[in-house]
Amino acid sequence: MNLTELNRVATAMVAPGKGILAADESSGTIKKRFDAIGVESTEGNRRDYREMLFRSEEAMRQHISGVILYDETIWQNAKDGTPLIKLIEQSGAIPGIKVDEGTQALPMCPGETVTVGLDKLAERLKKYYERGARFAKWRAVIDIGSGIPSMTAISVNAHALARYAALCQAAQIVPIVEPEVLMDGDHDIDRCYEVTQRVLNKTFQELRVQRVALEGMVLKPNMAVSGKKCAKQASVAEVAEKTVRLLKACVPAAVPGIAFLSGGQSDEEATAHLDAMNRLGRLPWGLTFSYGRALQAAPQKAWSGKAENVAAGQRAFSHRARMNGLASQGKWDPSQEKKAA
Ligand code: 13P
Protein backbone atom coordinates (compact mmCIF):
# COMPACT_ATOMS: atom_id res chain seq x y z
CA MET A 1 0.00 0.00 0.00
CA ASN A 2 1.29 3.46 -0.95
CA LEU A 3 -0.16 5.76 1.71
CA THR A 4 1.29 8.93 0.17
CA GLU A 5 -0.68 8.23 -3.00
CA LEU A 6 -3.86 7.32 -1.09
CA ASN A 7 -3.54 10.59 0.84
CA ARG A 8 -2.99 12.53 -2.39
CA VAL A 9 -6.20 11.11 -3.90
CA ALA A 10 -8.23 11.63 -0.70
CA THR A 11 -7.03 15.23 -0.48
CA ALA A 12 -7.91 15.87 -4.14
CA MET A 13 -11.43 14.50 -3.50
CA VAL A 14 -12.07 17.31 -1.01
CA ALA A 15 -10.15 20.11 -2.78
CA PRO A 16 -11.52 23.59 -1.94
CA GLY A 17 -14.37 24.57 -4.25
CA LYS A 18 -14.98 21.00 -5.35
CA GLY A 19 -17.00 18.01 -4.20
CA ILE A 20 -18.19 14.59 -5.24
CA LEU A 21 -21.07 13.66 -7.54
CA ALA A 22 -22.75 10.54 -6.18
CA ALA A 23 -24.10 9.02 -9.41
CA ASP A 24 -23.99 5.46 -8.06
CA GLU A 25 -27.70 4.76 -7.78
CA SER A 26 -28.35 1.02 -7.97
CA SER A 27 -30.69 -0.20 -10.72
CA GLY A 28 -33.58 -0.15 -8.24
CA THR A 29 -32.90 3.39 -7.04
CA ILE A 30 -32.37 4.93 -10.48
CA LYS A 31 -35.67 3.34 -11.58
CA LYS A 32 -37.41 5.23 -8.77
CA ARG A 33 -35.77 8.49 -9.90
CA PHE A 34 -36.71 7.85 -13.53
CA ASP A 35 -40.29 6.89 -12.58
CA ALA A 36 -40.62 10.34 -11.00
CA ILE A 37 -39.79 12.04 -14.33
CA GLY A 38 -41.67 9.55 -16.51
CA VAL A 39 -38.60 7.94 -18.09
CA GLU A 40 -38.28 4.21 -18.60
CA SER A 41 -35.22 2.78 -16.83
CA THR A 42 -33.51 1.04 -19.73
CA GLU A 43 -29.77 0.52 -20.01
CA GLY A 44 -29.72 3.06 -22.84
CA ASN A 45 -31.60 5.74 -20.92
CA ARG A 46 -29.37 5.26 -17.87
CA ARG A 47 -26.34 5.66 -20.13
CA ASP A 48 -27.73 8.76 -21.89
CA TYR A 49 -28.57 10.39 -18.57
CA ARG A 50 -25.18 9.80 -17.01
CA GLU A 51 -23.37 10.75 -20.22
CA MET A 52 -25.21 14.07 -20.07
CA LEU A 53 -23.86 14.68 -16.55
CA PHE A 54 -20.29 13.63 -17.29
CA ARG A 55 -20.20 15.82 -20.42
CA SER A 56 -21.25 18.91 -18.43
CA GLU A 57 -17.95 20.72 -18.97
CA GLU A 58 -18.34 23.58 -16.53
CA ALA A 59 -19.59 21.48 -13.64
CA MET A 60 -17.13 18.66 -14.13
CA ARG A 61 -14.02 20.77 -14.65
CA GLN A 62 -14.64 23.38 -12.01
CA HIS A 63 -16.75 21.91 -9.23
CA ILE A 64 -16.60 18.12 -9.29
CA SER A 65 -13.56 16.38 -7.81
CA GLY A 66 -14.80 12.83 -8.22
CA VAL A 67 -17.77 10.75 -9.39
CA ILE A 68 -19.10 7.64 -7.67
CA LEU A 69 -20.26 5.12 -10.26
CA TYR A 70 -22.45 2.04 -10.10
CA ASP A 71 -21.05 -1.24 -11.48
CA GLU A 72 -23.10 -1.03 -14.68
CA THR A 73 -21.83 2.49 -15.45
CA ILE A 74 -18.14 1.80 -14.99
CA TRP A 75 -18.28 -0.72 -17.86
CA GLN A 76 -20.56 1.36 -20.12
CA ASN A 77 -19.57 3.39 -23.18
CA ALA A 78 -20.93 6.76 -24.29
CA LYS A 79 -22.97 6.89 -27.50
CA ASP A 80 -19.80 7.54 -29.54
CA GLY A 81 -18.05 4.52 -28.01
CA THR A 82 -15.88 6.39 -25.47
CA PRO A 83 -15.96 4.62 -22.10
CA LEU A 84 -17.95 6.76 -19.64
CA ILE A 85 -15.10 6.47 -17.16
CA LYS A 86 -12.83 8.18 -19.75
CA LEU A 87 -15.19 11.17 -19.92
CA ILE A 88 -14.73 11.59 -16.18
CA GLU A 89 -10.95 11.29 -16.37
CA GLN A 90 -10.79 13.74 -19.28
CA SER A 91 -12.65 16.34 -17.21
CA GLY A 92 -9.99 16.07 -14.51
CA ALA A 93 -12.30 14.36 -12.00
CA ILE A 94 -11.46 11.09 -10.27
CA PRO A 95 -13.62 8.01 -10.95
CA GLY A 96 -14.90 6.02 -7.98
CA ILE A 97 -17.10 2.96 -7.53
CA LYS A 98 -19.84 1.87 -5.17
CA VAL A 99 -18.85 -1.59 -3.97
CA ASP A 100 -21.40 -2.52 -1.32
CA GLU A 101 -24.23 -4.80 -2.42
CA GLY A 102 -27.01 -3.16 -0.44
CA THR A 103 -28.57 -4.10 2.88
CA GLN A 104 -30.06 -7.26 4.34
CA ALA A 105 -32.27 -7.75 7.37
CA LEU A 106 -30.23 -8.18 10.53
CA PRO A 107 -31.24 -11.35 12.41
CA MET A 108 -32.69 -10.78 15.91
CA CYS A 109 -32.87 -7.03 15.27
CA PRO A 110 -36.35 -6.24 13.90
CA GLY A 111 -36.35 -3.30 11.50
CA GLU A 112 -32.57 -3.09 11.26
CA THR A 113 -30.16 -3.99 8.47
CA VAL A 114 -26.54 -4.76 7.78
CA THR A 115 -24.75 -3.83 4.56
CA VAL A 116 -23.36 -6.79 2.61
CA GLY A 117 -20.77 -7.31 -0.14
CA LEU A 118 -17.50 -8.31 1.54
CA ASP A 119 -17.28 -11.73 -0.10
CA LYS A 120 -14.93 -11.59 -3.11
CA LEU A 121 -14.49 -7.85 -2.55
CA ALA A 122 -10.70 -8.08 -2.91
CA GLU A 123 -11.07 -9.57 -6.42
CA ARG A 124 -13.66 -6.99 -7.44
CA LEU A 125 -11.48 -4.11 -6.21
CA LYS A 126 -8.61 -5.35 -8.34
CA LYS A 127 -10.80 -5.24 -11.48
CA TYR A 128 -12.14 -1.79 -10.62
CA TYR A 129 -8.62 -0.45 -10.09
CA GLU A 130 -7.56 -1.81 -13.49
CA ARG A 131 -10.57 -0.07 -15.03
CA GLY A 132 -9.49 3.25 -13.46
CA ALA A 133 -11.36 3.59 -10.14
CA ARG A 134 -9.23 5.31 -7.50
CA PHE A 135 -11.77 5.44 -4.70
CA ALA A 136 -14.76 3.40 -3.55
CA LYS A 137 -17.88 3.79 -1.45
CA TRP A 138 -19.68 1.57 1.06
CA ARG A 139 -22.87 2.77 2.72
CA ALA A 140 -24.09 1.51 6.08
CA VAL A 141 -27.64 2.44 7.04
CA ILE A 142 -28.72 3.19 10.60
CA ASP A 143 -32.36 3.98 11.24
CA ILE A 144 -33.70 5.91 14.24
CA GLY A 145 -36.98 4.74 15.75
CA SER A 146 -38.48 3.54 18.97
CA GLY A 147 -35.87 1.25 20.54
CA ILE A 148 -33.50 1.51 17.58
CA PRO A 149 -30.71 1.67 16.64
CA SER A 150 -29.46 -1.26 18.67
CA MET A 151 -25.80 -1.49 19.61
CA THR A 152 -25.83 -4.72 17.57
CA ALA A 153 -26.72 -2.89 14.35
CA ILE A 154 -24.15 -0.17 15.01
CA SER A 155 -21.40 -2.72 15.74
CA VAL A 156 -21.93 -5.03 12.79
CA ASN A 157 -22.19 -2.13 10.36
CA ALA A 158 -19.06 -0.44 11.75
CA HIS A 159 -17.22 -3.75 11.54
CA ALA A 160 -18.19 -4.22 7.89
CA LEU A 161 -17.24 -0.62 7.04
CA ALA A 162 -13.78 -1.16 8.50
CA ARG A 163 -13.36 -4.51 6.73
CA TYR A 164 -14.25 -2.82 3.45
CA ALA A 165 -11.93 0.15 4.14
CA ALA A 166 -8.96 -2.06 4.91
CA LEU A 167 -9.53 -4.11 1.72
CA CYS A 168 -9.74 -0.91 -0.34
CA GLN A 169 -6.47 0.45 0.98
CA ALA A 170 -4.75 -2.87 0.34
CA ALA A 171 -5.96 -2.53 -3.27
CA GLN A 172 -4.65 1.07 -3.46
CA ILE A 173 -8.19 2.49 -3.51
CA VAL A 174 -9.33 5.30 -1.18
CA PRO A 175 -12.38 4.17 0.83
CA ILE A 176 -15.29 6.55 1.34
CA VAL A 177 -16.61 5.38 4.69
CA GLU A 178 -20.35 6.15 4.78
CA PRO A 179 -22.29 5.41 7.94
CA GLU A 180 -25.64 7.04 7.16
CA VAL A 181 -28.03 7.80 10.00
CA LEU A 182 -31.36 8.26 8.21
CA MET A 183 -33.36 11.46 8.58
CA ASP A 184 -36.74 9.70 8.20
CA GLY A 185 -38.75 9.72 11.39
CA ASP A 186 -40.00 12.26 13.91
CA HIS A 187 -36.93 12.50 16.16
CA ASP A 188 -35.40 15.88 16.91
CA ILE A 189 -31.91 17.12 16.04
CA ASP A 190 -30.51 16.21 19.46
CA ARG A 191 -31.52 12.58 19.04
CA CYS A 192 -29.87 12.58 15.59
CA TYR A 193 -26.75 14.09 17.20
CA GLU A 194 -26.64 11.46 19.91
CA VAL A 195 -27.13 8.50 17.56
CA THR A 196 -24.64 9.85 15.00
CA GLN A 197 -22.08 10.31 17.76
CA ARG A 198 -22.43 6.67 18.81
CA VAL A 199 -22.18 5.54 15.19
CA LEU A 200 -19.10 7.63 14.40
CA ASN A 201 -17.31 6.62 17.60
CA LYS A 202 -17.91 2.94 16.92
CA THR A 203 -16.89 3.33 13.28
CA PHE A 204 -13.55 4.98 14.14
CA GLN A 205 -12.93 2.39 16.84
CA GLU A 206 -13.33 -0.38 14.25
CA LEU A 207 -11.20 1.48 11.70
CA ARG A 208 -8.38 1.61 14.25
CA VAL A 209 -8.75 -2.04 15.27
CA GLN A 210 -8.55 -3.06 11.62
CA ARG A 211 -5.51 -0.81 10.99
CA VAL A 212 -7.09 1.46 8.41
CA ALA A 213 -4.87 4.49 7.68
CA LEU A 214 -7.03 7.50 8.47
CA GLU A 215 -4.86 9.68 6.17
CA GLY A 216 -6.04 7.60 3.21
CA MET A 217 -9.83 7.74 3.60
CA VAL A 218 -12.76 10.12 3.28
CA LEU A 219 -15.70 10.13 5.69
CA LYS A 220 -19.21 10.52 4.25
CA PRO A 221 -21.56 11.23 7.15
CA ASN A 222 -25.04 12.64 7.57
CA MET A 223 -25.41 16.06 9.11
CA ALA A 224 -27.05 16.52 12.51
CA VAL A 225 -30.58 17.43 11.40
CA SER A 226 -34.16 17.12 12.65
CA GLY A 227 -36.07 14.06 11.45
CA LYS A 228 -38.25 14.84 8.44
CA LYS A 229 -41.45 14.31 10.41
CA CYS A 230 -40.28 16.23 13.50
CA ALA A 231 -42.56 19.16 14.28
CA LYS A 232 -39.61 21.30 15.29
CA GLN A 233 -37.19 21.77 12.39
CA ALA A 234 -33.75 23.04 13.37
CA SER A 235 -32.50 26.23 11.69
CA VAL A 236 -29.56 26.34 9.28
CA ALA A 237 -27.40 27.90 12.00
CA GLU A 238 -28.29 25.14 14.49
CA VAL A 239 -27.59 22.35 11.99
CA ALA A 240 -24.22 23.89 11.15
CA GLU A 241 -23.17 24.47 14.75
CA LYS A 242 -24.23 21.02 15.98
CA THR A 243 -22.82 19.13 13.00
CA VAL A 244 -19.42 20.78 13.31
CA ARG A 245 -19.37 20.23 17.07
CA LEU A 246 -20.24 16.57 16.57
CA LEU A 247 -17.60 16.02 13.90
CA LYS A 248 -14.90 17.78 15.93
CA ALA A 249 -15.68 15.45 18.81
CA CYS A 250 -15.61 12.26 16.74
CA VAL A 251 -13.42 12.62 13.63
CA PRO A 252 -9.63 12.62 14.03
CA ALA A 253 -7.74 15.42 12.28
CA ALA A 254 -5.72 12.80 10.38
CA VAL A 255 -8.76 12.27 8.11
CA PRO A 256 -8.16 14.52 5.07
CA GLY A 257 -11.79 15.23 4.35
CA ILE A 258 -15.46 14.88 5.10
CA ALA A 259 -17.97 14.83 2.24
CA PHE A 260 -21.60 14.88 3.32
CA LEU A 261 -24.50 12.94 1.87
CA SER A 262 -27.67 14.98 1.24
CA GLY A 263 -29.99 12.26 2.55
CA GLY A 264 -33.28 13.78 1.43
CA GLN A 265 -32.63 17.43 2.27
CA SER A 266 -33.90 19.87 -0.36
CA ASP A 267 -31.32 21.10 -2.86
CA GLU A 268 -31.04 24.52 -1.29
CA GLU A 269 -31.02 23.25 2.31
CA ALA A 270 -28.12 20.92 1.53
CA THR A 271 -26.21 23.86 0.05
CA ALA A 272 -27.09 26.30 2.86
CA HIS A 273 -26.04 23.82 5.57
CA LEU A 274 -22.66 23.14 3.96
CA ASP A 275 -22.05 26.84 3.45
CA ALA A 276 -22.91 27.71 7.05
CA MET A 277 -20.50 25.06 8.35
CA ASN A 278 -17.66 26.36 6.22
CA ARG A 279 -18.26 29.84 7.61
CA LEU A 280 -17.67 28.68 11.18
CA GLY A 281 -13.93 29.16 10.93
CA ARG A 282 -10.96 26.90 10.41
CA LEU A 283 -11.66 23.18 10.54
CA PRO A 284 -9.22 20.25 10.84
CA TRP A 285 -10.46 18.60 7.61
CA GLY A 286 -11.84 19.64 4.23
CA LEU A 287 -15.64 19.85 4.44
CA THR A 288 -17.55 19.37 1.20
CA PHE A 289 -20.39 17.57 -0.54
CA SER A 290 -20.88 14.08 -1.90
CA TYR A 291 -24.46 14.60 -2.96
CA GLY A 292 -26.71 12.35 -4.98
CA ARG A 293 -30.21 13.75 -4.89
CA ALA A 294 -29.26 17.36 -4.04
CA LEU A 295 -27.11 17.54 -7.20
CA GLN A 296 -29.29 15.50 -9.54
CA ALA A 297 -32.93 16.29 -8.79
CA ALA A 298 -32.80 19.51 -10.86
CA PRO A 299 -31.01 18.07 -13.91
CA GLN A 300 -33.27 15.00 -13.89
CA LYS A 301 -36.33 17.21 -14.03
CA ALA A 302 -34.89 19.50 -16.71
CA TRP A 303 -33.83 16.54 -18.87
CA SER A 304 -36.91 14.34 -18.46
CA GLY A 305 -35.48 11.80 -20.88
CA LYS A 306 -35.58 14.05 -23.99
CA ALA A 307 -32.54 14.55 -26.22
CA GLU A 308 -33.57 18.16 -26.88
CA ASN A 309 -33.33 18.88 -23.14
CA VAL A 310 -29.70 17.82 -22.70
CA ALA A 311 -28.39 21.40 -22.66
CA ALA A 312 -31.04 22.40 -20.09
CA GLY A 313 -30.15 19.37 -17.95
CA GLN A 314 -26.48 20.30 -18.09
CA ARG A 315 -27.25 23.90 -17.13
CA ALA A 316 -29.27 22.71 -14.13
CA PHE A 317 -26.47 20.37 -13.04
CA SER A 318 -23.80 23.04 -13.50
CA HIS A 319 -25.82 25.47 -11.42
CA ARG A 320 -26.17 23.09 -8.48
CA ALA A 321 -22.51 22.08 -8.75
CA ARG A 322 -21.47 25.75 -8.73
CA MET A 323 -23.68 26.56 -5.73
CA ASN A 324 -22.24 23.63 -3.76
CA GLY A 325 -18.71 24.50 -4.86
CA LEU A 326 -19.24 27.96 -3.35
CA ALA A 327 -20.72 26.40 -0.21
CA SER A 328 -17.64 24.21 0.19
CA GLN A 329 -15.71 27.46 0.63
CA GLY A 330 -18.33 29.31 2.70
CA LYS A 331 -18.92 31.70 -0.21
CA TRP A 332 -22.54 30.93 -1.13
CA ASP A 333 -25.53 33.14 -0.49
CA PRO A 334 -29.17 32.71 -1.48
CA SER A 335 -29.07 35.63 -3.91
CA GLN A 336 -26.78 33.56 -6.17
CA GLU A 337 -29.61 31.02 -6.51
CA LYS A 338 -31.99 33.67 -7.78
CA LYS A 339 -29.46 35.32 -10.09
CA ALA A 340 -29.02 32.09 -12.03
CA ALA A 341 -32.74 31.23 -12.01
P1 13P B 1 -27.88 11.43 -1.32
O1 13P B 1 -27.04 12.72 -1.37
O2 13P B 1 -29.03 11.45 -2.28
O3 13P B 1 -28.23 11.06 0.07
O4 13P B 1 -26.96 10.28 -1.90
C1 13P B 1 -25.65 10.22 -1.54
C2 13P B 1 -25.21 8.82 -1.48
O5 13P B 1 -24.25 8.43 -2.11
C3 13P B 1 -25.93 7.90 -0.58
O6 13P B 1 -25.25 6.71 -0.46
Side-chain angles (χ1 to χ4, degrees):
M1 169 179 111
N2 177 345
L3 184 55
T4 307
E5 179 58 16
L6 286 175
N7 179 258
R8 189 192 66 75
V9 172
T11 304
M13 287 162 66
V14 297
K18 292 190 174 188
I20 297 163
L21 166 64
D24 60 323
E25 299 84 0
S26 62
S27 303
T29 302
I30 197 73
K31 183 179 180 309
K32 271 193 252 163
R33 307 280 181 261
F34 278 14
D35 283 349
I37 52 169
V39 176
E40 196 190 342
S41 184
T42 61
E43 193 192 334
N45 285 340
R46 292 192 291 271
R47 188 272 312 276
D48 289 350
Y49 168 66
R50 287 168 171 148
E51 179 174 354
M52 170 182 88
L53 296 179
F54 307 158
R55 285 194 193 273
S56 301
E57 282 262 327
E58 190 210 318
M60 293 294 294
R61 286 192 177 281
Q62 297 180 35
H63 314 297
I64 300 297
S65 59
V67 181
I68 317 174
L69 301 169
Y70 184 58
D71 179 75
E72 175 185 83
T73 319
I74 201 169
W75 307 108
Q76 257 175 338
N77 293 335
K79 236 181 198 139
D80 69 2
T82 314
L84 289 178
I85 193 170
K86 283 276 169 290
L87 298 182
I88 295 166
E89 289 167 351
Q90 283 162 10
S91 76
I94 307 165
I97 181 78
K98 167 196 176 80
V99 299
D100 69 68
E101 293 176 333
T103 59
Q104 280 182 2
L106 187 59
M108 313 303 157
C109 296
E112 298 191 284
T113 63
V114 61
T115 300
V116 298
L118 288 169
D119 288 353
K120 310 256 169 63
L121 181 56
E123 288 92 324
R124 288 162 58 215
L125 288 169
K126 197 161 173 279
K127 291 202 189 93
Y128 289 139
Y129 185 92
E130 282 162 13
R131 183 74 175 168
R134 291 296 175 266
F135 71 91
K137 178 191 114 172
W138 178 288
R139 172 175 177 255
V141 185
I142 302 292
D143 205 356
I144 299 182
S146 101
I148 61 167
S150 65
M151 204 54 222
T152 309
I154 294 176
S155 293
V156 296
N157 277 292
H159 184 266
L161 273 169
R163 287 262 285 131
Y164 140 83
L167 286 165
C168 283
Q169 291 190 335
Q172 202 53 44
I173 287 181
V174 171
I176 293 184
V177 173
E178 180 180 10
E180 174 172 6
V181 177
L182 296 177
M183 62 183 290
D184 309 335
D186 59 5
H187 56 275
D188 65 10
I189 185 171
D190 293 324
R191 173 110 167 98
C192 174
Y193 185 111
E194 177 253 325
V195 170
T196 307
Q197 183 167 37
R198 275 161 61 204
V199 169
L200 289 177
N201 285 340
K202 189 69 191 165
T203 301
F204 279 99
Q205 184 190 356
E206 281 292 338
L207 290 168
R208 285 187 197 285
V209 167
Q210 299 190 42
R211 306 183 184 188
V212 173
L214 301 184
E215 296 82 355
M217 62 163 274
V218 168
L219 179 71
K220 176 162 174 167
N222 54 284
M223 300 175 194
V225 290
S226 317
K228 268 199 186 147
K229 289 185 235 134
C230 179
K232 191 170 161 278
Q233 290 292 312
S235 67
V236 171
E238 186 177 1
V239 168
E241 188 272 317
K242 288 187 171 163
T243 304
V244 166
R245 179 146 50 96
L246 169 65
L247 293 171
K248 279 184 174 169
C250 301
V251 185
V255 173
I258 296 174
F260 291 104
L261 58 97
S262 60
Q265 298 180 31
S266 76
D267 297 0
E268 214 172 306
E269 270 168 5
T271 305
H273 289 153
L274 179 62
D275 181 71
M277 284 185 237
N278 277 305
R279 285 173 188 268
L280 288 176
R282 270 183 65 79
L283 299 168
W285 354 255
L287 205 60
T288 191
F289 57 92
S290 175
Y291 293 162
R293 283 163 284 180
L295 276 172
Q296 296 186 66
Q300 278 163 5
K301 212 164 152 220
W303 172 63
S304 289
K306 299 198 173 70
E308 64 266 30
N309 291 339
V310 164
Q314 291 178 328
R315 275 197 303 278
F317 174 45
S318 293
H319 174 64
R320 286 272 39 97
R322 189 168 64 251
M323 293 300 105
N324 287 307
L326 288 167
S328 76
Q329 305 168 87
K331 292 181 179 167
W332 172 85
D333 77 79
S335 68
Q336 280 146 325
E337 296 283 347
K338 295 188 185 85
K339 233 185 288 169

